[in-house]
Amino acid sequence: METLANLGDGFAIAITWQNLLLALLGCFLGTIMGALPGLGPSNGVAILIPLAFTLGLGATPSLILLTSVYYGAMYGGRISSILLGIPGDEPAMMTVLDGHPMAKKGMAGEALSLSGVASFVGAFFATWGLILLAPQLVKIALLFGPAEYFALFALAFMTLGGVSSTNQAKSAFAAALGLGLATIGVDTQTGVPRFTFGEVHLYDGLDFLVAIVGLFALSEVFIFLETRHGGAEADGKKMVIGKLYPPMSMLKACTPTMLRTSFLGFIAGVLPGAGASLGSFISYSMEKRLVDKKGTFGTGDPRGVAAPEAGNNAAAGGALVPMLALGVPGSGTTAVLLAVLLALNITPGPLLFTQNPDVVWGLIAALFIANFMLLAMNIPMVGLFTRVLMIPSRILMPIVAMVSFVGIYGISGSTFDLLVMIGFGVMGWLLRKFDVPLVPIILGTLLGNAMENNLRRAVTIDNGNWWTLVDSPLALTLWAIAIIGFVLPLIVGARVKAGMHARRDDEGAISD
Amino acid sequence: MSDRIFGVVGILISIGYVFAALAIEESFLSDAVGPKAFPLIIAAILGISSLVIALRPDAEPAWPSLARLVEIAAAVVVLILYAEMLPVAGFVIATAFAAAYLAWRLGSSLLEAVLTGIGTSVGIYVIFHLVLGLSLARGPFGF
């Protein structure tokens, strides 16, 4: 009952002209970003954060804008998967398998509208899941002391490589690099400068927004320059959409699939180190095993389109649970969303629900609204978004680069930050070549200070006794999960990854 | 081979990081852990993971040809120049040049590149500065 009252308050906050407009704008931009190969949810949100920040939007409006982009990108990714056979972003990879064959059979319109409905179902149930699960998780999180928080952060880093990671050494390298970057600047506890080498600009530490935009957005521009991929994805391919409504029989046949995969995707999203890509992968594989009696999956089976789309949208909602309730994101895009909260000086985690209930419930209400907007945008108006695929990247990428610069310059007005951003862009390009995941770096720069503070607080409270870190059952449980999460991919990682990356994809480093 | 070099560089970075961490001046007022411990833990993880990468390298990444590398280096130089020139030349002029350059290198014809550059720069100026009121770098002509 209390939940419903809270939700009601949330709707009161979300339904203002400004917030509705922001949600609409976010859904629109998000769908475009998801549809365009090369721009996905994480770099789409990354480019927009500094802008939301410099425009002076408050916490709730910023979050509404950016999570709408996030949900929108999850919808948009399917468009190029189905029409062109090229995933618009990583979570839409599995949609290619059945969506593109359907389009080839002349059923592109049915595939698009069916997947739109599936996305809606997945996101709708995941938002309910978020409402029901997050407060429960908050209750557990309120029991956490500094030692447990330190273990929780360690868990986040150790599982972030994900089940799909093949090289845990590279994930660990990325996490350590991010944490190392976070230690630059004046030490918050004793006030001594660390790793600043006398450079005054570094005393404040590196701005994580600069790192995010450089690593995610600018490195993408370098990738395009490297491959000199200047044309539009749709060049030379004809896109016939056909009728835009799925027959009732098809919807009926897919309903059990959508419900099952929404549930599964949501769980995958909540679990650390999974995220939307894994959500769609698991959903597709499970459905294939469960209902594919005649071997039609992979040849344009509608259920093979509905499964991954419901799964990845549900996972996107699920991934918000640990980010909001614990302050520890489990996926790339939620890490970027965490940066929004931190940039606005809001500490996510259990206290968020008690101290800023307006932010949480306003956001959740906005997610419901955004979801209906997206359904409306993605079925009747999908033709509009398919046009976007005709924009050549030789025009798009300069715009992406320049908007990144505008955002960062708007925050600080300093040339130094722009140079640091270019540095991160080059680093991001190089690390992507080496197949080093970028998300742990971002998470390291975001959480580094909080992690160190909790470590030092825990040990100081216990008079310098380091064993205090593994002293409570709760902490021990967290450490155990962390270790399992780190070791498991060493055993099953190669297999899962081979399944997910049947096609080689540049975006592998920016998972989610 | 690339991964081995990568690992060795990583080890060197972690050693450098250790030295920089040991050089941190401790304040007379410190907590039980101090400002050095956490960086040293991080350095250890960085070093160990680099060692593993060097000892068990992945398959060779697909490196671009020299010409493509030069292309990226040139773009970096242009972007650095852009960052430096922004406060001097003003947003609209600097951005038009930088965007035109990128469009040209991504395969636009010269005319198309110039149009993309001017369009991007003026478009961003109108949307973000005139409509949304974001402050952009001001040049000698006031824009």
Side-chain angles (χ1 to χ4, degrees):
Chain A
M1 215 51 246
E2 192 199 338
T3 314
L4 287 180
N6 283 332
L7 192 59
D9 292 343
F11 273 102
I13 294 163
I15 301 181
T16 64
W17 281 110
Q18 189 201 22
N19 289 345
L20 286 177
L21 263 172
L22 284 173
L24 192 67
L25 183 71
C27 292
F28 184 74
L29 288 177
T31 311
I32 290 180
M33 285 173 174
L36 288 167
L39 275 180
S42 38
N43 39 21
V45 177
I47 296 173
L48 290 178
I49 296 179
L51 293 173
F53 192 52
T54 40
L55 289 174
L57 293 180
T60 318
S62 310
L63 270 181
I64 289 177
L65 173 68
L66 295 167
T67 41
S68 304
V69 172
Y70 174 44
Y71 267 36
M74 291 293 159
Y75 272 79
R78 75 193 207 286
I79 298 176
S80 67
S81 297
I82 290 173
L83 290 177
L84 306 174
I86 305 162
D89 49 23
E90 173 152 318
M93 201 129 46
M94 305 312 289
T95 316
V96 173
L97 298 181
D98 275 285
H100 193 50
M102 262 183 95
K104 278 196 195 142
K105 284 196 268 181
M107 293 162 74
E110 281 98 329
L112 282 172
S113 49
L114 173 68
S115 56
V117 173
S119 299
F120 175 81
V121 171
F124 185 77
F125 283 109
T127 312
W128 276 112
L130 169 68
I131 292 175
L132 297 176
L133 188 61
Q136 307 309 317
L137 210 55
V138 165
K139 280 181 199 152
I140 300 175
L142 284 172
L143 304 173
F144 284 15
E148 283 81 12
Y149 264 109
F150 181 71
L152 179 69
F153 287 134
L155 185 155
F157 284 110
M158 288 168 77
T159 53
L160 198 62
V163 195
S164 57
S165 140
T166 40
N167 195 334
Q168 287 292 64
K170 285 183 176 172
S171 303
F173 176 88
L177 188 65
L179 289 168
L181 289 169
T183 57
I184 295 175
V186 172
D187 175 28
T188 47
Q189 312 245 327
T190 57
V192 292
R194 298 190 292 180
F195 313 108
T196 54
F197 308 107
E199 175 69 62
V200 185
H201 289 292
L202 289 177
Y203 272 53
D204 270 347
L206 289 171
D207 189 337
F208 47 79
L209 291 180
V210 175
I212 289 176
V213 177
L215 283 176
F216 281 177
L218 213 51
S219 72
E220 195 69 46
V221 177
F222 291 137
I223 295 266
F224 273 84
L225 271 171
E226 177 202 335
T227 51
R228 192 155 201 177
H229 184 84
E233 297 294 342
D235 272 354
K237 294 183 187 173
K238 62 175 175 29
M239 295 190 289
V240 185
I241 295 179
K243 64 171 191 175
L244 268 176
Y245 293 93
M248 252 355 238
S249 59
M250 191 191 274
L251 274 181
K252 218 176 217 165
C254 292
T255 304
T257 298
M258 286 191 240
L259 294 179
R260 273 195 300 266
T261 51
S262 298
F263 179 74
L264 198 64
F266 178 74
I267 302 288
V270 175
L271 291 177
S277 312
L278 198 76
S280 72
F281 170 70
I282 298 180
S283 301
Y284 186 85
S285 330
M286 185 197 76
E287 275 310 298
K288 190 174 160 121
R289 250 181 232 161
L290 215 60
V291 297
D292 186 21
K293 303 276 189 288
K294 295 182 199 133
T296 50
F297 269 51
T299 60
D301 191 316
R303 290 168 301 182
V305 178
E309 276 307 311
N312 82 34
N313 283 272
L320 288 172
V321 174
M323 197 276 276
L324 288 172
L326 303 176
V328 176
S331 72
T333 316
T334 45
V336 180
L337 287 171
L338 178 71
V340 185
L341 289 173
L342 294 177
L344 293 162
N345 252 335
I346 293 175
T347 319
L351 293 180
L352 182 67
F353 282 74
T354 46
Q355 286 176 350
N356 303 80
D358 52 321
V359 174
V360 179
W361 293 103
L363 171 67
I364 290 173
L367 288 179
F368 277 117
I369 298 171
N371 208 14
F372 279 100
M373 286 177 175
L374 281 166
L375 185 66
M377 267 185 205
N378 273 279
I379 294 188
M381 288 161 65
V382 75
L384 185 71
F385 293 106
T386 57
R387 301 261 157 74
V388 172
L389 293 175
M390 293 194 235
I391 301 177
S393 56
R394 60 178 180 271
I395 294 175
L396 182 74
M397 279 299 143
I399 299 176
V400 169
M402 293 302 123
V403 173
S404 312
F405 275 92
V406 168
I408 295 300
Y409 192 81
I411 294 178
S412 61
S414 100
T415 305
F416 181 80
D417 278 353
L418 295 182
L419 295 177
V420 174
M421 177 177 83
I422 298 171
F424 273 109
V426 176
M427 190 169 101
W429 176 76
L430 203 62
L431 291 174
R432 281 164 83 164
K433 284 271 124 189
F434 279 110
D435 216 10
V436 174
L438 299 180
V439 176
I441 304 180
I442 294 300
L443 203 60
T445 56
L446 285 175
L447 297 181
N449 286 325
M451 188 172 180
E452 180 176 9
N453 288 343
N454 277 303
L455 168 72
R456 288 165 73 168
R457 212 170 291 153
V459 175
T460 305
I461 289 170
D462 214 2
N463 293 324
N465 173 17
W466 285 75
W467 291 107
T468 180
L469 295 176
V470 287
D471 209 22
S472 75
L474 207 51
L476 279 173
T477 315
L478 290 168
W479 281 111
I481 300 173
I483 290 168
I484 293 170
F486 189 76
V487 176
L488 197 65
L490 296 176
I491 304 162
V492 300
R495 237 184 55 214
V496 177
K497 184 146 183 166
M500 268 172 82
H501 293 247
R503 57 168 54 244
R504 182 83 190 120
D505 185 78
D506 267 341
E507 286 182 62
I510 302 184
S511 76
D512 195 13
Chain B
M1 197 58 217
S2 300
D3 263 10
R4 294 196 191 274
I5 298 172
F6 180 74
V8 171
V9 172
I11 292 171
L12 291 178
I13 292 175
S14 67
I15 293 173
Y17 191 68
V18 168
F19 276 108
L22 292 175
I24 296 170
E25 281 183 49
E26 296 233 17
S27 154
F28 61 93
L29 239 175
S30 184
D31 54 342
V33 180
K36 290 179 187 173
F38 188 71
L40 288 176
I41 298 173
I42 300 300
I45 298 171
L46 200 64
I48 295 169
S49 54
S50 301
L51 188 68
V52 175
I53 293 171
L55 291 179
R56 295 186 49 194
D58 284 343
E60 192 73 4
W63 289 109
S65 64
L66 188 65
R68 296 282 98 199
L69 281 178
V70 172
E71 185 77 72
I72 291 173
V76 171
V77 171
V78 168
L79 290 177
I80 291 174
L81 281 176
Y82 170 67
E84 295 287 354
M85 289 307 288
L86 202 51
V88 184
F91 175 80
V92 174
I93 296 173
T95 306
F97 274 102
Y101 174 82
L102 288 176
W104 176 51
R105 292 321 303 163
L106 280 165
S108 301
S109 65
L110 269 182
L111 181 68
E112 199 187 50
V114 170
L115 289 178
T116 309
I118 295 174
T120 307
S121 143
V122 173
I124 292 179
Y125 187 79
V126 169
I127 297 174
F128 290 109
H129 184 71
L130 298 182
V131 178
L132 297 173
L134 196 70
S135 63
L136 299 171
R138 218 174 238 278
F141 310 110
F143 56 79

